[in-house]
Every structure is written in C-alpha cells, then in structure tokens.
Amino acid sequence: MEEQLHSLNAQTYENMEILIYDDCPEAPCDPDIFKQCLPDKKYRILPSKKENVGYTKAFEYLVQSSKGKYVAFCDQDDIWDQTKIEKCVCCMKKDHTLLVATDRKLINAEGHVYCDSVRHRQSRPWEQWHTYDDIGVKNFFSTCAPGMCLMAEGDFVRQTVPFSTETGHDKWIIACACACGQVSFLDEPLSFYRRYGKNVSGIMKGISTKEEYKQQRILPHLRLIEEVQQKYPQYPGTQTALTFARARAKGNMLGMLRGWKINPDLVAFECVLSLLPAAVANRLIHFLKTRAQ
C-alpha cells in the first residue's frame, strides 16, 4: 500500500483530491499511514460502512462522494506513473472524450516488471483498440481496460450510478461511456498492475462445472447488456451484443460463430463446451484450472 500511496503523492498534477474508502470495517487501516504517505496531496477518508460491500459498491460509493471534473480509479496496491493524471487530463481535453484508458505494465508481488507493455506484448483482441473506436460490444464480454488504467469525466461517471451488480466498475463505466459518447486510448504504460503468481483471474475463477460456468460467466453478461439497453436505449451496440449473448445462453453454436469477431477465444471455448456432456465438460474445467495454478 505504501508504494501505491507514494505514487499518488508524487503526481505532477497538483489540483487533485484523493478519496479513500476502507472496505474492511472489521480490521480498519491505521489512518496515520495516509498522513505519512500523502503529505503533499489533499485527501479525504470516507466514513466506513457497517460491513464489507465489495469492490464494485466501494467504487460506487467513492464516485458518489467525488466532486472533481475528472475521476480516476486506484485499485488495491497498484502503482501509478507520476505523470499519469496530468497526461490523462491532457488527452481527454485534446480528444474531447468521456473516458481515457492507458496502457499498463505488469509487476509481480515484489514489484518487479515482467511485462513492460500489455498493449505491445500481448495479442488479445480486446486489448487492441484505438481512440474513437466503439469498443462497447467487445467490452461486454471482455474488459477492454482495467479500472486502474481509467480516467473519466466526473459529471458523466457520477451519472452512471448505480453501478451494475453483474460486473465490475470498470466494465460498467466503459459500457456507459461507449453508449453516451467516445473513448480515448493513451498508448503509454502509466500504471503498474500488480499480479500475484498465476492467479486465475479470468474465465475459470470460481468455476467447477459446466452449469456454474453458464450461471456465473454467460448469464451475467446477458443481464448486463439488458441493463445497459434499458439505461441507454439509443445505443445500437446493445442489439449486436444481445444477439451474441442470447446465442451463448442457448448454446447455439451457429449464433456464437456469427459473433466470432467479438471474442474468438470465448467462442472457440464455448463451442467446445456446448458439445461436451456435463461430466466431460466438468473434467475439462478442472484440468484447465489445475494447469493455471
């Protein structure tokens, strides 16, 4: 945490307020750490809730409490480049967009960089997009940028509350930004994203069976798209996404293949999964999880 706080304190952008919320009421953090690590920045500690609310609702609470022209999201113990806020503000002003996402570096538990650019070292299709692209449809099924890489226009992001309970704050805010306007990509790794070991942060985390996969990975996407469609009925991307999501929910291989460009890896895996009997599919899921550990 200290590294994270020091990186916030070192930001070259001076007109900023840091909002702090401790979502661990049973063992709260000593507030003296903020005095020690944030001597040069204004900060405000929000009142604690009676119980843990989870990271999505915690960010919702922070957004509701914000007042700034821009809002950026700082996750857990990640680290920011000292120019991050300044460069993101300049980018949004130049592009006239609602949101900007930056590239990121990956660091291990000890803080050593093992990937100096996710954009340029990984080939995942949902990472390969550019300023003014409509990434809304892809983002429903794979987060196109994690929260610590995002900055959004303040009035806009406060209007996205309440956040969906079907996904994380980052995917929700990106979806809303695409429905309401345009987004920017700043091709500089301005965040250091800390990863611990080979953590299964993706498709199989918390999944043991074919039915659990459907309930926890497929149906939430469908409900998320329906929420966005209800909130922003003018956005045409939701209809494309709904067609694909409904095909996934029904195990309709032809419908999924028609959405191949949305997420090729997802389509390939789920087409195989739809063909397998539950017992075989469950063994495949177990095998994939053990390999990732």
Side-chain angles (χ1 to χ4, degrees), residues 240-261:
T240 301
L242 277 174
T243 300
F244 181 53
R246 287 166 179 162
R248 294 176 66 214
K250 295 177 181 178
N252 181 340
M253 287 184 58
L254 181 58
M256 286 190 284
L257 289 169
R258 286 172 178 159
W260 178 265
K261 291 184 179 180

mmCIF file of all heavy atoms in Angstrom, residues 240-261:
data_model
loop_
_atom_site.group_PDB
_atom_site.id
_atom_site.type_symbol
_atom_site.label_atom_id
_atom_site.label_comp_id
_atom_site.label_asym_id
_atom_site.label_seq_id
_atom_site.Cartn_x
_atom_site.Cartn_y
_atom_site.Cartn_z
ATOM 1 N N THR A 240 -26.506 -5.824 -31.084
ATOM 2 C CA THR A 240 -25.493 -6.766 -31.552
ATOM 3 C C THR A 240 -25.035 -7.666 -30.412
ATOM 4 O O THR A 240 -24.916 -8.888 -30.557
ATOM 5 C CB THR A 240 -24.286 -6.008 -32.130
ATOM 6 O OG1 THR A 240 -24.717 -5.185 -33.207
ATOM 7 C CG2 THR A 240 -23.210 -6.966 -32.609
ATOM 8 N N ALA A 241 -24.785 -7.046 -29.264
ATOM 9 C CA ALA A 241 -24.313 -7.805 -28.109
ATOM 10 C C ALA A 241 -25.378 -8.758 -27.592
ATOM 11 O O ALA A 241 -25.076 -9.890 -27.196
ATOM 12 C CB ALA A 241 -23.889 -6.845 -27.000
ATOM 13 N N LEU A 242 -26.640 -8.335 -27.595
ATOM 14 C CA LEU A 242 -27.722 -9.197 -27.127
ATOM 15 C C LEU A 242 -27.864 -10.440 -28.000
ATOM 16 O O LEU A 242 -28.084 -11.559 -27.490
ATOM 17 C CB LEU A 242 -29.044 -8.435 -27.101
ATOM 18 C CG LEU A 242 -29.324 -7.569 -25.875
ATOM 19 C CD1 LEU A 242 -30.601 -6.764 -26.084
ATOM 20 C CD2 LEU A 242 -29.429 -8.421 -24.617
ATOM 21 N N THR A 243 -27.746 -10.286 -29.308
ATOM 22 C CA THR A 243 -27.848 -11.430 -30.211
ATOM 23 C C THR A 243 -26.778 -12.472 -29.883
ATOM 24 O O THR A 243 -27.061 -13.678 -29.811
ATOM 25 C CB THR A 243 -27.695 -10.963 -31.671
ATOM 26 O OG1 THR A 243 -28.742 -10.030 -31.977
ATOM 27 C CG2 THR A 243 -27.776 -12.135 -32.632
ATOM 28 N N PHE A 244 -25.559 -12.001 -29.668
ATOM 29 C CA PHE A 244 -24.451 -12.900 -29.318
ATOM 30 C C PHE A 244 -24.661 -13.508 -27.937
ATOM 31 O O PHE A 244 -24.475 -14.719 -27.736
ATOM 32 C CB PHE A 244 -23.139 -12.122 -29.374
ATOM 33 C CG PHE A 244 -21.920 -12.937 -29.049
ATOM 34 C CD1 PHE A 244 -21.649 -14.123 -29.716
ATOM 35 C CD2 PHE A 244 -21.029 -12.514 -28.078
ATOM 36 C CE1 PHE A 244 -20.513 -14.869 -29.426
ATOM 37 C CE2 PHE A 244 -19.901 -13.239 -27.772
ATOM 38 C CZ PHE A 244 -19.632 -14.427 -28.448
ATOM 39 N N ALA A 245 -25.059 -12.694 -26.970
ATOM 40 C CA ALA A 245 -25.243 -13.177 -25.600
ATOM 41 C C ALA A 245 -26.346 -14.220 -25.511
ATOM 42 O O ALA A 245 -26.243 -15.202 -24.757
ATOM 43 C CB ALA A 245 -25.543 -12.005 -24.672
ATOM 44 N N ARG A 246 -27.418 -14.028 -26.254
ATOM 45 C CA ARG A 246 -28.516 -14.999 -26.238
ATOM 46 C C ARG A 246 -28.105 -16.316 -26.889
ATOM 47 O O ARG A 246 -28.522 -17.401 -26.446
ATOM 48 C CB ARG A 246 -29.734 -14.405 -26.926
ATOM 49 C CG ARG A 246 -30.419 -13.330 -26.079
ATOM 50 C CD ARG A 246 -31.414 -12.505 -26.871
ATOM 51 N NE ARG A 246 -32.068 -11.515 -26.020
ATOM 52 C CZ ARG A 246 -32.718 -10.450 -26.476
ATOM 53 N NH1 ARG A 246 -32.809 -10.240 -27.798
ATOM 54 N NH2 ARG A 246 -33.272 -9.595 -25.643
ATOM 55 N N ALA A 247 -27.275 -16.239 -27.927
ATOM 56 C CA ALA A 247 -26.757 -17.463 -28.542
ATOM 57 C C ALA A 247 -25.890 -18.235 -27.552
ATOM 58 O O ALA A 247 -25.968 -19.470 -27.468
ATOM 59 C CB ALA A 247 -25.960 -17.115 -29.797
ATOM 60 N N ARG A 248 -25.075 -17.529 -26.790
ATOM 61 C CA ARG A 248 -24.246 -18.170 -25.763
ATOM 62 C C ARG A 248 -25.128 -18.833 -24.710
ATOM 63 O O ARG A 248 -24.857 -19.954 -24.279
ATOM 64 C CB ARG A 248 -23.334 -17.146 -25.098
ATOM 65 C CG ARG A 248 -22.287 -16.546 -25.995
ATOM 66 C CD ARG A 248 -21.512 -15.467 -25.244
ATOM 67 N NE ARG A 248 -20.728 -16.031 -24.163
ATOM 68 C CZ ARG A 248 -20.502 -15.413 -23.000
ATOM 69 N NH1 ARG A 248 -21.053 -14.228 -22.754
ATOM 70 N NH2 ARG A 248 -19.760 -15.996 -22.074
ATOM 71 N N ALA A 249 -26.166 -18.131 -24.276
ATOM 72 C CA ALA A 249 -27.042 -18.665 -23.226
ATOM 73 C C ALA A 249 -27.746 -19.942 -23.678
ATOM 74 O O ALA A 249 -28.022 -20.839 -22.871
ATOM 75 C CB ALA A 249 -28.057 -17.609 -22.808
ATOM 76 N N LYS A 250 -28.045 -20.044 -24.973
ATOM 77 C CA LYS A 250 -28.736 -21.221 -25.509
ATOM 78 C C LYS A 250 -27.768 -22.300 -25.985
ATOM 79 O O LYS A 250 -28.203 -23.393 -26.381
ATOM 80 C CB LYS A 250 -29.629 -20.807 -26.678
ATOM 81 C CG LYS A 250 -30.779 -19.891 -26.281
ATOM 82 C CD LYS A 250 -31.574 -19.454 -27.514
ATOM 83 C CE LYS A 250 -32.713 -18.525 -27.137
ATOM 84 N NZ LYS A 250 -33.462 -18.053 -28.333
ATOM 85 N N GLY A 251 -26.470 -22.014 -25.963
ATOM 86 C CA GLY A 251 -25.500 -22.957 -26.507
ATOM 87 C C GLY A 251 -25.643 -23.104 -28.010
ATOM 88 O O GLY A 251 -25.330 -24.161 -28.575
ATOM 89 N N ASN A 252 -26.088 -22.052 -28.683
ATOM 90 C CA ASN A 252 -26.319 -22.051 -30.128
ATOM 91 C C ASN A 252 -24.990 -21.805 -30.845
ATOM 92 O O ASN A 252 -24.522 -20.670 -30.955
ATOM 93 C CB ASN A 252 -27.329 -20.954 -30.478
ATOM 94 C CG ASN A 252 -27.645 -20.887 -31.956
ATOM 95 O OD1 ASN A 252 -26.898 -21.372 -32.793
ATOM 96 N ND2 ASN A 252 -28.770 -20.263 -32.277
ATOM 97 N N MET A 253 -24.387 -22.872 -31.359
ATOM 98 C CA MET A 253 -23.061 -22.754 -31.957
ATOM 99 C C MET A 253 -23.055 -21.836 -33.168
ATOM 100 O O MET A 253 -22.137 -21.031 -33.348
ATOM 101 C CB MET A 253 -22.531 -24.132 -32.347
ATOM 102 C CG MET A 253 -22.096 -24.981 -31.169
ATOM 103 S SD MET A 253 -21.378 -26.546 -31.706
ATOM 104 C CE MET A 253 -20.038 -25.993 -32.742
ATOM 105 N N LEU A 254 -24.057 -21.936 -34.022
ATOM 106 C CA LEU A 254 -24.104 -21.086 -35.203
ATOM 107 C C LEU A 254 -24.187 -19.613 -34.811
ATOM 108 O O LEU A 254 -23.489 -18.766 -35.383
ATOM 109 C CB LEU A 254 -25.308 -21.468 -36.078
ATOM 110 C CG LEU A 254 -25.468 -20.661 -37.388
ATOM 111 C CD1 LEU A 254 -24.223 -20.805 -38.249
ATOM 112 C CD2 LEU A 254 -26.710 -21.123 -38.142
ATOM 113 N N GLY A 255 -25.032 -19.322 -33.833
ATOM 114 C CA GLY A 255 -25.138 -17.947 -33.360
ATOM 115 C C GLY A 255 -23.836 -17.454 -32.746
ATOM 116 O O GLY A 255 -23.454 -16.292 -32.939
ATOM 117 N N MET A 256 -23.157 -18.329 -31.998
ATOM 118 C CA MET A 256 -21.879 -17.937 -31.410
ATOM 119 C C MET A 256 -20.832 -17.698 -32.491
ATOM 120 O O MET A 256 -20.060 -16.738 -32.433
ATOM 121 C CB MET A 256 -21.402 -19.008 -30.426
ATOM 122 C CG MET A 256 -22.181 -19.022 -29.120
ATOM 123 S SD MET A 256 -21.439 -20.081 -27.854
ATOM 124 C CE MET A 256 -21.911 -21.705 -28.439
ATOM 125 N N LEU A 257 -20.799 -18.563 -33.501
ATOM 126 C CA LEU A 257 -19.819 -18.404 -34.576
ATOM 127 C C LEU A 257 -20.038 -17.113 -35.360
ATOM 128 O O LEU A 257 -19.088 -16.502 -35.849
ATOM 129 C CB LEU A 257 -19.870 -19.609 -35.511
ATOM 130 C CG LEU A 257 -19.315 -20.910 -34.914
ATOM 131 C CD1 LEU A 257 -19.649 -22.097 -35.812
ATOM 132 C CD2 LEU A 257 -17.801 -20.806 -34.709
ATOM 133 N N ARG A 258 -21.288 -16.690 -35.456
ATOM 134 C CA ARG A 258 -21.562 -15.414 -36.118
ATOM 135 C C ARG A 258 -20.960 -14.232 -35.352
ATOM 136 O O ARG A 258 -20.725 -13.173 -35.919
ATOM 137 C CB ARG A 258 -23.072 -15.232 -36.270
ATOM 138 C CG ARG A 258 -23.682 -16.114 -37.364
ATOM 139 C CD ARG A 258 -25.185 -16.029 -37.345
ATOM 140 N NE ARG A 258 -25.779 -16.833 -38.419
ATOM 141 C CZ ARG A 258 -27.031 -17.280 -38.420
ATOM 142 N NH1 ARG A 258 -27.845 -16.991 -37.388
ATOM 143 N NH2 ARG A 258 -27.472 -18.004 -39.420
ATOM 144 N N GLY A 259 -20.749 -14.436 -34.053
ATOM 145 C CA GLY A 259 -20.126 -13.394 -33.240
ATOM 146 C C GLY A 259 -18.645 -13.615 -33.033
ATOM 147 O O GLY A 259 -18.075 -13.093 -32.067
ATOM 148 N N TRP A 260 -18.019 -14.359 -33.921
ATOM 149 C CA TRP A 260 -16.609 -14.734 -33.784
ATOM 150 C C TRP A 260 -15.710 -13.528 -33.541
ATOM 151 O O TRP A 260 -14.820 -13.554 -32.691
ATOM 152 C CB TRP A 260 -16.157 -15.488 -35.030
ATOM 153 C CG TRP A 260 -14.709 -15.894 -35.027
ATOM 154 C CD1 TRP A 260 -13.656 -15.227 -35.575
ATOM 155 C CD2 TRP A 260 -14.156 -17.072 -34.416
ATOM 156 N NE1 TRP A 260 -12.481 -15.902 -35.366
ATOM 157 C CE2 TRP A 260 -12.759 -17.044 -34.656
ATOM 158 C CE3 TRP A 260 -14.701 -18.140 -33.725
ATOM 159 C CZ2 TRP A 260 -11.909 -18.048 -34.211
ATOM 160 C CZ3 TRP A 260 -13.854 -19.140 -33.280
ATOM 161 C CH2 TRP A 260 -12.478 -19.093 -33.513
ATOM 162 N N LYS A 261 -15.915 -12.442 -34.259
ATOM 163 C CA LYS A 261 -15.029 -11.289 -34.159
ATOM 164 C C LYS A 261 -15.145 -10.580 -32.803
ATOM 165 O O LYS A 261 -14.241 -9.841 -32.419
ATOM 166 C CB LYS A 261 -15.329 -10.296 -35.287
ATOM 167 C CG LYS A 261 -14.929 -10.801 -36.664
ATOM 168 C CD LYS A 261 -15.161 -9.738 -37.719
ATOM 169 C CE LYS A 261 -14.740 -10.214 -39.094
ATOM 170 N NZ LYS A 261 -14.970 -9.172 -40.132
#
